[in-house]
Amino acid sequence: MASVVGGFLAPHDPLMFSTPDAAPAGQRDAVSAAYAELGARLGRLDPTAVVVIGADHYVLFGPGCLPQYLLGIGDVDGPLERLPGLERGPMPTNPRLAEHIMGHGREHGFDWAVAKSITVDHSIGIPYALMVKPNGAIPVIPVYLAAGVEPLVPLSRAAALGRSIREAVESFPGDERVVVIGSGGISHWVGLADMGRVNEDFDREVIAHVEAGDIDALCAYGDADIVERGGNGALELRNFVCAMSAVPAVRGELVEYQAVPAWITGLGFLELVADGAAVAR
Amino acid sequence: MASVVGGFLAPHDPLMFSTPDAAPAGQRDAVSAAYAELGARLGRLDPTAVVVIGADHYVLFGPGCLPQYLLGIGDVDGPLERLPGLERGPMPTNPRLAEHIMGHGREHGFDWAVAKSITVDHSIGIPYALMVKPNGAIPVIPVYLAAGVEPLVPLSRAAALGRSIREAVESFPGDERVVVIGSGGISHWVGLADMGRVNEDFDREVIAHVEAGDIDALCAYGDADIVERGGNGALELRNFVCAMSAVPAVRGELVEYQAVPAWITGLGFLELVADGAAVAR
Amino acid sequence: MSIYALEKALFDLNVDRPSKQRFRDDPVDFCSRYQLSDDERARVVAFDVRGLVDLGVNPMLTMGYWLELEGSRSLGGYIKRMRAAPEPVGGK
Amino acid sequence: MSIYALEKALFDLNVDRPSKQRFRDDPVDFCSRYQLSDDERARVVAFDVRGLVDLGVNPMLTMGYWLELEGSRSLGGYIKRMRAAPEPVGGK
Ligand SMILES: [Fe+3]
Ligand SMILES: [Fe+3]
């Protein structure tokens, strides 16, 4: 039976690429090591496909069509942004599995918008480059949630969507082993006057909820409260609860946390461990 | 209480504007008179807002983001296409009502994609120009269904969405009188070798179902059957069932039908009469 | 290679002004920006709309790019082309 | 006139190459293509990102257009501008 065998939460901070030297060497090294560790753990899960849940930063979808959530069912390439050290190009795909997730969702009340061709942005391109690609040509299935552009998808709906992804995978004929990555920073103020502020208290609180697998606690945050304490960037918590909900009986394991004001973000790296499964190590 | 006070089904054939003289004068006159009659009936319903349900013709939404259904909640202008005799410009809107339809829908399982600014295409621009605008500055709320670009929204889902629009209107504080227009040709083959064929038998069958208010019969058509008998353009039946479902206890009244091969389309003009209400005449 | 690449190329030719100009200037070069097979590229360049629809391209896209870019820009010409056999171009 | 017109103008400046060029050539003329008030237009032309965010524009758009088009193209400059008071431009 196809199943979701695990997942990860990881940031997608473009400043790691555009101004790598702005951060202290210790933090830089810790962040590099964290991506490498997550990538290694991902490889040991031996996935046949990776669903990466990103957030549009108002560059992919314009004011003429803003979807609540979107699935890439066809060609995928990217990332859109030209960032030093980040290669741009086509990514391997699994259209049959992607179409199955679409169809299963639509039969169960999730009217996925879809992309037949998509050039993903850095929110999918960075975790793909640092965690997936080093493990070989594993197909990627991109998902975008309305996490940065109003009207936002509600946290509870993001969680329901994650469950739908899991149920879809579990009803797919075959032996797919699917890993889900929720892509997002924790506290960060993007384009606001507080840009550069990081709120470690908030970040640690979020991390504790992830470790406990407490999706309900995360869904209980109000958006105004998130923006107040974690900045508009922390609205990407949607991607976390969606990914967590896709992993059966999830609990989180913290791999690394770095508060990096120079990169304007609290960076959390977690593995989402399925069921009572042993942590892949 | 706000309510849906009635509706209409009308075509949006651009050839009426680009090659008016291709059709025989008798048909041309009948079609003009039908739009005028529908416009007059619409005016007598004294609407405060008009929801127009159109179909993307693969010019508004690209392969990077194809929504199942979309609502215009902000600025509206158009039409996009430059057609002789069809003015282009901003249209009056009612953002509060549009946002209410969005919010109500999302609370009830309809995850509307939205447009904050949209330049509508001819599928909304033509009925607007010929039926709404002559009655003054009545706000328009554009809806788009995936009726021409795969993956299509299922007919039954289009019907459910229409019911959701009705329930949303009925829960809106105030005295709005909403009219719903389902925009679409009946049989037409768009861009296919059979372009120019019209299947009057199929068209009359569809019209009979509309007259009877038999949404279930319309939803029972398979897409392959629709394309076989009515062409790919007849997939716009989605717009019909959505509009019908938005009108309480609907029955249809045929105002005009013209099979016009020169304009490649079977053109049906119907009023959707609400409840046991007297036909506005 | 993929119906999606073909559909993206034709969508761009329908709605994107710079893409239309690039195609007018050099259709083969325009096509090189998409992951098309030789056969697919040849059909796009030759306005083989019948062959493209047979491959699965949405006919609104083939009609739109014909009307925008084919020499005659005529609907009659398009229908005639649709009713003829597809071009027997080969290639991978 | 409408936050949506403002957001559309800034979105186009973020992603659309011809729009960027038009803005570089003549920012007032670029703005004339959108239904903006005099005050809104003045803030767009003056890169008054703080004022625009206060009006409700998504800050990813203000940041993006600053980095694409403002002379310095620097994030530090953007943050400094965000922390200053908005321009006191008037107009309807
Ligand atoms: Fe982000
Ligand atoms: Fe149509």
Side-chain angles (χ1 to χ4, degrees):
Chain A
M1 190 184 88
S3 60
V4 176
V5 295
F8 299 91
L9 303 183
H12 55 239
D13 188 339
L15 297 180
M16 300 184 304
F17 291 87
S18 57
T19 58
D21 298 338
Q27 292 200 305
R28 224 161 53 221
D29 293 347
V31 165
S32 289
Y35 275 115
E37 173 65 16
L38 259 49
R41 290 187 185 204
L42 184 145
R44 285 197 293 271
L45 288 167
D46 194 22
T48 60
V50 180
V51 174
V52 187
I53 301 166
D56 177 33
H57 294 79
Y58 229 153
V59 293
L60 293 180
F61 314 127
C65 182
L66 294 164
Q68 285 281 278
Y69 41 83
L70 175 139
L71 182 71
I73 59 168
D75 296 343
V76 181
D77 72 342
L80 186 65
E81 299 90 352
R82 296 179 190 278
L83 288 166
L86 202 60
E87 246 181 82
R88 195 174 179 178
M91 299 178 186
T93 59
N94 183 339
R96 269 188 61 237
L97 177 56
E99 277 172 26
H100 177 79
I101 293 171
M102 173 191 80
H104 187 276
R106 288 185 175 178
E107 276 162 32
H108 293 83
F110 296 91
D111 292 313
W112 287 103
V114 299
K116 293 180 177 177
S117 296
I118 192 166
T119 302
V120 298
D121 76 348
H122 67 279
S123 75
I124 288 181
I126 289 176
Y128 175 76
L130 299 183
M131 294 164 58
V132 183
K133 206 175 171 190
N135 289 295
I138 305 171
V140 60
I141 298 178
V143 167
Y144 276 99
L145 303 187
V149 181
E150 305 242 345
L152 306 173
V153 65
L155 283 159
S156 57
R157 192 67 178 156
L161 187 73
R163 290 194 297 275
S164 155
I165 293 171
R166 169 160 49 84
E167 288 161 14
V169 167
E170 289 171 355
S171 72
F172 187 71
D175 298 316
E176 298 288 340
R177 296 173 55 82
V178 177
V179 162
V180 178
I181 298 176
S183 171
I186 315 182
S187 65
H188 55 310
W189 278 255
V190 184
L192 293 170
D194 271 347
M195 201 158 176
R197 178 179 163 203
V198 174
N199 182 351
E200 182 163 348
D201 285 349
F202 177 78
D203 294 348
R204 295 283 180 191
E205 188 181 297
V206 167
I207 287 168
H209 292 318
V210 176
E211 288 180 305
D214 194 346
I215 295 167
D216 289 347
L218 292 168
C219 289
Y221 282 112
D223 284 340
D225 183 40
I226 292 174
V227 173
E228 172 70 26
R229 298 177 61 208
N232 56 338
L235 294 166
E236 292 176 345
L237 275 188
R238 283 153 174 76
N239 301 359
F240 290 7
V241 304
C242 185
M244 289 172 74
S245 303
V247 175
V250 71
R251 66 178 179 80
E253 193 185 87
L254 182 64
V255 171
E256 183 63 82
Y257 170 78
Q258 290 288 331
V260 189
W263 290 343
I264 74 148
T265 307
L267 306 171
F269 298 82
L270 292 108
E271 178 169 3
L272 302 174
V273 184
D275 220 350
V279 182
R281 198 159 299 169
Chain B
M1 190 184 90
S3 61
V4 176
V5 294
F8 299 92
L9 303 183
H12 55 238
D13 187 339
L15 297 179
M16 298 184 306
F17 291 88
S18 57
T19 58
D21 299 338
Q27 292 201 305
R28 223 161 54 220
D29 294 346
V31 165
S32 289
Y35 276 114
E37 171 65 16
L38 259 48
R41 292 188 185 205
L42 183 144
R44 285 197 292 272
L45 288 167
D46 193 22
T48 60
V50 179
V51 174
V52 187
I53 302 166
D56 179 33
H57 295 79
Y58 230 153
V59 292
L60 294 180
F61 314 127
C65 181
L66 294 164
Q68 284 281 277
Y69 41 83
L70 175 137
L71 183 70
I73 59 168
D75 298 342
V76 181
D77 72 342
L80 187 66
E81 299 90 351
R82 297 180 189 277
L83 288 165
L86 203 59
E87 248 180 79
R88 194 175 179 178
M91 298 178 187
T93 58
N94 184 338
R96 271 189 57 238
L97 178 57
E99 277 172 26
H100 177 79
I101 293 171
M102 173 192 80
H104 187 276
R106 286 184 177 178
E107 276 163 31
H108 293 83
F110 295 91
D111 292 313
W112 287 104
V114 300
K116 293 180 177 178
S117 296
I118 191 165
T119 301
V120 297
D121 76 346
H122 67 281
S123 74
I124 287 180
I126 289 177
Y128 174 77
L130 299 183
M131 294 165 58
V132 183
K133 206 177 173 190
N135 289 295
I138 306 171
V140 60
I141 297 178
V143 167
Y144 276 99
L145 303 187
V149 180
E150 306 244 344
L152 306 173
V153 65
L155 282 160
S156 56
R157 192 68 178 157
L161 187 73
R163 289 193 297 274
S164 154
I165 293 171
R166 169 158 51 81
E167 288 161 12
V169 168
E170 290 170 355
S171 72
F172 187 69
D175 297 316
E176 299 287 341
R177 295 173 56 79
V178 178
V179 162
V180 178
I181 298 176
S183 173
I186 314 182
S187 65
H188 54 309
W189 279 256
V190 184
L192 294 170
D194 271 347
M195 201 160 177
R197 178 180 164 201
V198 174
N199 183 351
E200 183 165 347
D201 285 349
F202 177 77
D203 294 348
R204 295 285 180 187
E205 188 182 296
V206 166
I207 288 169
H209 292 318
V210 177
E211 289 181 304
D214 194 346
I215 296 168
D216 289 347
L218 292 168
C219 289
Y221 282 111
D223 284 340
D225 184 39
I226 293 173
V227 173
E228 172 71 26
R229 298 178 61 210
N232 56 337
L235 294 165
E236 292 176 342
L237 275 189
R238 283 152 175 77
N239 301 1
F240 290 7
V241 304
C242 185
M244 290 172 73
S245 303
V247 176
V250 70
R251 67 178 177 79
E253 193 185 85
L254 182 64
V255 171
E256 183 63 83
Y257 171 78
Q258 290 288 331
V260 189
W263 290 341
I264 73 147
T265 306
L267 305 171
F269 297 83
L270 291 108
E271 178 170 2
L272 302 174
V273 183
D275 220 350
V279 181
R281 197 158 300 166
Chain C
M1 313 298 270
S2 147
I3 180 66
Y4 293 132
L6 211 40
E7 223 171 81
K8 183 165 165 40
L10 290 183
F11 178 78
D12 289 348
L13 290 179
N14 271 262
V15 306
D16 183 52
R17 204 176 295 226
S19 293
K20 290 177 202 178
Q21 193 52 51
R22 228 174 274 126
F23 184 87
R24 276 190 210 98
D25 293 345
D26 185 343
V28 172
D29 180 63
F30 167 83
C31 287
S32 72
R33 301 160 48 94
Y34 302 84
Q35 304 276 326
L36 304 178
S37 69
D38 292 350
D39 177 89
E40 290 165 343
R41 187 175 54 244
R43 292 184 197 279
V44 173
V45 171
F47 288 96
D48 179 12
V49 288
R50 170 61 188 279
L52 292 168
V53 168
D54 287 352
L55 284 172
V57 174
N58 189 306
M60 295 190 288
L61 293 182
T62 50
M63 185 172 69
Y65 110 104
W66 177 286
L67 293 177
E68 289 281 336
L69 294 162
E70 198 270 345
S72 73
R73 300 189 66 149
S74 101
L75 195 56
Y78 175 81
I79 295 174
K80 203 171 144 207
R81 187 69 202 78
M82 279 302 295
R83 290 179 182 170
E87 304 269 338
V89 282
K92 58 174 162 89
Chain D
M1 314 297 268
S2 149
I3 180 66
Y4 293 132
L6 212 40
E7 221 170 87
K8 184 168 163 43
L10 290 184
F11 178 78
D12 289 348
L13 290 178
N14 270 263
V15 307
D16 183 52
R17 203 174 296 223
S19 293
K20 290 177 203 180
Q21 193 51 52
R22 230 174 271 126
F23 184 87
R24 276 190 211 99
D25 293 344
D26 185 342
V28 173
D29 180 65
F30 167 81
C31 287
S32 72
R33 301 160 47 94
Y34 302 84
Q35 305 275 325
L36 304 179
S37 71
D38 292 349
D39 178 89
E40 290 165 344
R41 188 177 51 243
R43 291 185 198 278
V44 173
V45 171
F47 290 96
D48 179 12
V49 288
R50 171 60 188 278
L52 292 168
V53 168
D54 288 351
L55 284 172
V57 174
N58 189 305
M60 294 189 288
L61 293 183
T62 50
M63 184 171 71
Y65 110 103
W66 176 287
L67 292 178
E68 289 281 337
L69 294 162
E70 198 270 344
S72 73
R73 299 190 67 149
S74 101
L75 195 56
Y78 176 80
I79 294 174
K80 204 173 143 206
R81 188 67 202 78
M82 278 302 295
R83 291 180 183 170
E87 305 268 339
V89 283
K92 58 176 164 98

